[in-house]
Structure formats: C-alpha cells, structure tokens
Amino acid sequence: MASGTTRTKRTAHTTAPPAAEAPTTSTSGPATLTSAPSRRAARRSRTALDTDTGLVHRRWWTPYLFLLPGLVMVVLFSLWPFVNTVILSLTDAQILRGGRFVGLENYGRALDDPDFWTATVNSVVYLAVVVPCLVLLPLALAVLVQRKVPGIGFFRSAFYTPVIASAVVVGLIWQWVLRSDGLVNTVFEKLHLISGPIPFLTDSTMLLVSAMIVTIWKGLGYYMVFYLAALGNVPTSLYEAAALDGAGAVRRFLSITIPSVKPMMLLVGTLSAISALRVFTEIYILGGESGGPGGGARTLPFLIRQVGLGFAGETGYAAAVSILLFLLTLAFSLLGHRLSKGDER
C-alpha cells in the first residue's frame, strides 16, 4: 500500500506541467531589447476594449474620425470664409472681376467714408438702446410668467410666438402697423390725438426707433426663456426668509432675484449686443433698399450689403467693412467677458 502511494506521488511529480518561461530579454548595450513574443503582445495590446461603450479602439486616431465631419463643416463654412474675407479686404476685387493687392487702402477708405461713420453710429446707438431693454424687460416678464396661476401657460406661449415667426413676416406686420395709413396712425387720427400721420417709416430717426421696437418685441420671448431657466435655480427659501423679515416684492426682486441671475444678465447682454450689431432685416423691410430717406437709417450690415452687391459691387471694400464690424463685435464680446469675470471675483 505504501509502495503504491509512493508510485502515485512519483507519477504526479513527473507529470506536472513545466513552469512558464519568462520572456528572454537582452540587456547588452544601452537599451533593453524586447523579444519577439513581447513585441507581439504589445501589438495586441493596442486593441483595447472600452468597457463603457463596448467599442474597440484599434488606432490612436480612431476617435478623431468622429470629429472629422464637424471639423470639415467648421473649416468650410466658418474658418475659410473668414480667411477669404480677410484676403478680399486687402484687394480691390469686384463682383465680375478679380482684384489686385492694395494693402490697407480699403480700411483707410472706410475711415474716411461718411456713410461708414453714419452706419457705425446707427449700429452703436441701436446697441445702446436695444441691449438694456432686452436685459431688463425679459427678466421682468420671466418673473411675471413664473407664477403658477391658471392660464399662465397661454401667456408664456403668446410671449414666445414672435420668436418662432420669420423676421420677414414680423417686419411686414410692423410695416403695416406703422405706415402712414397703418393701424397706429389711423387709430390716433380717429381719436384726434394727431393732426397728421406720424412719419414712422419716412423719417430716418423714427425709422431707426421703429426698427428697435421690432427687435425688442421679437427678442422678449427668446430671452425670457433664458431667465426662466435661471430663476428655476433660485432657492425659494431665500424668498420665504426675506418675506418673514418684512421685505416687500420690490425689495426681494432687487436683493435676491437680480444677484441670483446676474451671470445670466451678462450672457443676455452679450448675445443681444451681438444681435444688435448684426441687425439688417428690420431696417430693410421697414425702410426699403435705400435704408430710409437718404440712407440715414443704415447700419453696418446694411452698408456691407449695399456696397458689395450689384454688377458694380465692390467686394474688397465690403470685406474691409465686414472686418471692421467683426472687430467692433469682438470688442463688445470681450467687454461682456471681462464683466462676467469681474462678477465671478
């Protein structure tokens, strides 16, 4: 019995599998060389399974393939048009012929052009009037429609309806309302409040004011949604505590609401400033192709369109004005960014 046990142990000892041999490496020389099996293992390790998505990344550049369509769109429709505009601004190119390099001549011409300065002043005045209105009025509107009362959903939808309407349709509606025989002048004359029609669309200043009203009316509902999202993050306990301390509605608005939504106010101010500098449709629909009497209500985008189109369109000069508009927009954007950074501190 003992002899059989000894033979069994001896058999088990002799049939045990050999231990795995470690890959041999050569340490001769300054660098360590990996053996062929280790190199094959390294190549296999390049194919790693992503346990979160179940995707296999076979190459390091695989994720960039997903970014390629978006990058192509950005290059084709954003980066290249900008670079091409900069190049055109340095030439005297026209619509029907190529141009030659003229350096900064177009920029000097713009700075000496009275029409350019008129358009610039109109754009800056447009911004100075529209931006404060679109920062404060949508906030007040959001505070009103935030209340949970019967039928408030109807008012929210009604205030947002101008946003989804086409800018051309909105312009045509207001043109019908503001023209000499339109709704406003007819009602005022019937009420004997005026002796003659108010020149909403035939006076440059009144035309610019009318366009501002259209822009504000169309943007109220859009920025109201921004403020509704910001107000939803304000804790109601703050209002309850202030009410217990005897603070009225105005005091709660000034001490709680405005500080809580100040970052959103800066964002709305930046976005509305950019939109105000790009205004075109309102001026075009209300004032026609000339931009009001004598072009007195033209803005910078309107001037770019006017000098750059037609058989004699000066694309080089229009490109230079576009770059100047870009620099003006960039300045206000950086100002908004600086104010937001200062507020964070």
Side-chain angles (χ1 to χ4, degrees):
M1 185 68 179
S3 176
T5 302
T6 303
R7 286 195 299 268
T8 302
K9 291 181 178 180
R10 186 180 299 124
T11 304
H13 176 72
T14 56
T15 59
E21 296 182 358
T24 59
T25 58
S26 175
T27 57
S28 60
T32 301
L33 302 178
T34 308
S35 63
S38 298
R39 289 196 297 270
R40 287 195 295 269
R43 283 196 297 268
R44 287 195 300 270
S45 66
R46 294 176 185 173
T47 302
L49 179 63
D50 190 337
T51 56
D52 295 334
T53 62
L55 299 177
V56 177
H57 302 299
R58 299 185 179 276
R59 294 291 184 271
W60 64 268
W61 41 262
T62 301
Y64 294 96
L65 291 178
F66 295 95
L67 299 177
L68 185 60
L71 291 175
V72 170
M73 297 289 287
V74 170
V75 171
L76 289 180
F77 297 104
S78 295
L79 184 58
W80 167 242
F82 176 77
V83 173
N84 188 50
T85 301
V86 174
I87 295 173
L88 280 176
S89 68
L90 303 176
T91 67
D92 60 351
Q94 294 185 358
I95 288 290
L96 298 179
R97 69 171 180 83
R100 58 184 179 84
F101 180 79
V102 295
L104 300 178
E105 181 178 325
N106 288 323
Y107 295 95
R109 174 186 170 186
L111 297 178
D112 292 334
D113 188 358
D115 292 337
F116 170 79
W117 287 110
T118 300
T120 303
V121 170
N122 289 338
S123 294
V124 174
V125 171
Y126 207 99
L127 179 146
V129 174
V130 168
V131 171
C133 293
L134 287 181
V135 170
L136 298 177
L137 294 181
L139 176 58
L141 200 61
V143 172
L144 292 177
V145 302
Q146 189 189 25
R147 302 178 181 275
K148 295 181 180 180
V149 296
I152 197 64
F154 168 78
F155 290 99
R156 290 181 180 179
S157 302
F159 292 142
Y160 193 78
T161 300
V163 179
I164 62 177
S166 169
V168 175
V169 174
V170 170
L172 291 175
I173 292 173
W174 279 91
Q175 185 187 48
W176 172 75
V177 171
L178 297 175
R179 63 188 183 185
S180 298
D181 57 345
L183 178 64
V184 174
N185 281 313
T186 300
V187 171
F188 284 175
E189 287 180 353
K190 294 296 183 182
L191 296 176
H192 303 287
L193 298 177
I194 56 176
S195 57
I198 302 175
F200 289 111
L201 307 181
T202 56
D203 179 77
S204 298
T205 303
M206 292 297 296
L207 175 60
L208 202 62
V209 173
S210 301
M212 293 175 186
I213 294 173
V214 175
T215 301
I216 295 171
W217 180 76
K218 187 169 172 41
L220 281 176
Y222 180 72
Y223 295 114
M224 177 192 72
V225 176
F226 283 60
Y227 285 122
L228 285 175
L231 291 173
N233 295 324
V234 181
T236 57
S237 59
L238 296 178
Y239 293 101
E240 294 172 357
L244 291 175
D245 290 339
V250 176
R251 185 63 180 174
R252 293 197 299 269
F253 178 79
L254 295 176
S255 301
I256 300 176
T257 303
I258 290 183
S260 299
V261 301
K262 186 174 291 185
M264 185 60 70
M265 295 176 68
L266 293 173
L267 175 62
V268 170
T270 302
L271 294 178
S272 59
I274 294 173
S275 299
L277 290 174
R278 296 170 52 195
V279 66
F280 169 78
T281 305
E282 291 88 335
I283 303 295
Y284 184 81
I285 297 296
L286 297 178
E289 294 186 0
S290 61
R298 285 180 297 189
T299 56
L300 283 174
F302 200 100
L303 179 65
I304 294 169
R305 182 257 179 195
Q306 196 170 48
V307 301
L309 291 183
F311 291 107
E314 299 175 282
T315 54
Y317 180 58
V321 178
S322 300
I323 297 300
L324 294 174
L325 174 60
F326 166 75
L327 295 177
L328 183 62
T329 306
L330 181 63
F332 281 102
S333 300
L334 293 177
L335 177 61
H337 180 71
R338 181 68 178 272
L339 292 175
S340 64
K341 289 296 183 181
D343 183 68
E344 290 177 359
R345 297 191 188 98

